[in-house]
Amino acid sequence: MYSLLSHNTFGIDVKATRFLEYASVGELKQLIVQGAVTTPFLHIGGGSNLLFAKDYDGLVLHSRIEGIEVIEETEQSVSVRVGAGVIWDDFVAWCVKNEWYGVENLSLIPGEVGASAVQNIGAYGVEVKDLITEVETVNFKGQERVYSVDECGYSYRNSVFKHTENKTVFVTYVHFRLSKKEYYTLDYGTILQELEKYSKPTLAIVRKVIINIRESKLPDPKVMGNAGSFFMNPIVSREKLEVLQQEYPQIPYYELNDGSVKIPAGWMIDQCGWKGKTLGPAAVHDKQALVLVNRGGAKGSDIIALSDAVRTSVFQKFGIDINPEVYIIDNG
Ligand code: EPU
């Protein structure tokens, strides 16, 4: 049995029957040819967006494919190929250092580059799908396939790689296109307000501001186990919003291109009075109600019990079912 404690930021003390890592596409293919990749298996990244409900009775795979390589450069932009095992924030720091624009709002997101392309990570008005051009993969049979960004089927925190039938496809490299021309995305939340302290934005300053905002709201998994936002922000019709506005005129929302709206689940959970509340060893974070935390020694079932209680409250008050963003693993 292999301990997964250091492989999940929720800090749940669970085990897998087997654990395998590989550092190259060649090594992965060799493992497959040797028959070492047996079912059931689960491919993880940094373990920052998953919750183990119990021990995993199967094989856990993890990529250690490293490397950031420039593959094309023009006057306007640079295209890079990044290994799935690269720490996401190391990649962001590298782009900022090179003065390449685009990923700075995604500073300090935990996890690895491979998972960023599976999950379509996003924060502060930027989603990674807008920077990805291609995703290189190997499936469990050892076949390679490159997905163009359009083939990845990206939407809010979703991609084809999250669909059940594609859980057998492993991301090996992600290609990003970054801008060499100065541009920023500053219209989310308090970014502009925070920037007022500086004479003019630079990439390094924007990165610093984003890191400050994140650190003020989101708990550090090294200090208190968590997986960032536990729930997705639900997407509802404009009619539903208008009904809610009659009772809650101050309800925050973001308009989407198709006319529907996204309502912050954190606001609704907060309105239900859950912020800072505990249930056994699990709690709703006291600075951001969308985040559930492990107060120490929690089992997956403790976090799930809290999540169920929170979902029920939100449904009773707002008539909206909120769904986990975190991937709950309860099989194997
Ligand atoms: N709000 C409250 N109370 C709370 C939390 C939020 O009233 O306890 C309100 C805020 O005042 C604000 C609104 O809800 O009006 C949105 O809050 P915030 O800007 O903190 O963002 P979020 O919608 O709660 C999303 C992402 C985060 C990302 C932030 C910033 C999801 C599921 N979460 O959270 O992503 O960092 O926006 O862009 O989309 C993650 O995915 O793990 C994650 C942390």
Side-chain angles (χ1 to χ4, degrees):
M1 294 293 268
Y2 181 91
S3 172
L4 295 171
L5 189 56
S6 65
H7 290 278
N8 75 100
T9 60
F10 246 124
I12 309 288
D13 194 5
V14 282
K15 294 182 177 61
T17 319
R18 288 167 63 228
F19 182 83
L20 280 177
E21 290 186 319
Y22 54 89
S24 67
V25 170
E27 251 182 57
L28 170 60
K29 287 170 109 174
Q30 210 176 344
L31 288 173
I32 293 167
V33 169
Q34 288 166 351
V37 179
T38 50
T39 48
F41 56 76
L42 169 73
H43 200 300
I44 62 167
S48 56
N49 201 50
L50 42 83
L51 175 64
F52 287 100
K54 56 181 193 207
D55 284 343
Y56 188 74
D57 189 11
L59 166 69
V60 171
L61 281 161
H62 180 233
S63 167
R64 298 204 74 121
I65 301 180
E66 295 290 332
I68 308 177
E69 177 198 353
V70 174
I71 48 176
E72 197 188 317
E73 193 163 356
T74 66
E75 226 173 83
Q76 305 285 330
S77 68
V78 57
S79 295
V80 289
R81 177 179 186 247
V82 189
V86 170
I87 304 284
W88 171 261
D89 195 53
D90 289 351
F91 169 56
V92 176
W94 196 75
C95 293
V96 168
K97 190 165 154 252
N98 283 290
E99 297 201 22
W100 297 337
Y101 297 79
V103 278
E104 59 283 355
N105 286 28
L106 306 179
S107 288
L108 211 64
I109 293 185
E112 295 167 5
V113 166
S116 77
V118 173
Q119 172 72 357
N120 183 22
I121 59 169
Y124 308 105
V126 174
E127 277 187 325
V128 81
K129 73 171 171 56
D130 300 324
L131 303 154
I132 290 176
T133 53
E134 279 179 1
V135 177
E136 294 182 39
T137 67
V138 170
N139 72 9
F140 78 118
K141 291 182 182 154
Q143 295 155 330
E144 294 185 42
R145 175 172 167 191
V146 181
Y147 288 70
S148 70
V149 67
D150 292 338
E151 288 172 319
C152 296
Y154 285 124
S155 59
Y156 171 56
R157 296 295 195 275
N158 201 4
S159 74
V160 292
F161 307 115
K162 286 182 82 171
H163 298 180
T164 324
E165 67 278 14
N166 286 337
K167 289 276 163 63
T168 53
V169 173
F170 314 138
V171 173
T172 50
Y173 287 93
V174 186
H175 297 212
F176 301 90
R177 188 180 296 121
L178 302 151
S179 173
K180 287 166 69 179
K181 301 275 169 215
E182 188 172 21
Y183 86 95
Y184 304 100
T185 306
L186 304 176
D187 47 7
Y188 186 98
T190 55
I191 301 179
L192 278 174
Q193 208 175 310
E194 298 285 326
L195 274 171
E196 276 167 18
K197 296 177 200 150
Y198 304 89
S199 50
K200 92 184 231 321
T202 65
L203 270 179
I205 288 173
V206 172
R207 173 166 163 80
K208 198 166 150 191
V209 161
I210 296 287
I211 288 176
N212 287 346
I213 297 175
R214 283 189 77 91
E215 285 182 336
S216 70
K217 289 191 175 180
L218 299 168
D220 180 351
K222 290 192 201 87
V223 180
M224 195 155 46
N226 76 90
S229 300
F230 193 88
F231 299 99
M232 281 193 274
N233 287 331
I235 295 169
V236 304
S237 66
R238 179 154 278 282
E239 292 74 41
K240 173 76 186 170
L241 173 71
E242 282 164 8
V243 171
L244 289 170
Q245 278 174 324
Q246 285 167 18
E247 202 173 339
Y248 309 99
Q250 78 289 23
I251 186 167
Y253 62 91
Y254 311 106
E255 314 237 4
L256 303 179
N257 290 338
D258 63 1
S260 57
V261 293
K262 197 152 79 174
I263 300 186
W267 179 84
M268 291 192 284
I269 298 167
D270 198 354
Q271 292 290 309
C272 290
W274 273 107
K275 203 180 209 168
K277 290 271 166 63
T278 60
L279 186 67
V284 176
H285 187 49
D286 57 359
K287 298 196 184 73
Q288 163 51 293
L290 198 53
V291 179
L292 304 189
V293 297
N294 174 359
R295 299 165 63 224
K299 294 195 181 68
S301 53
D302 295 317
I303 309 285
I304 292 167
L306 175 61
S307 147
D308 288 345
V310 165
R311 273 175 96 166
T312 303
S313 293
V314 168
F315 189 76
Q316 282 169 353
K317 195 170 171 69
F318 296 97
I320 294 176
D321 192 18
I322 53 171
N323 290 297
E325 190 223 41
V326 166
Y327 179 35
I328 298 172
I329 297 137
D330 58 6
N331 56 349

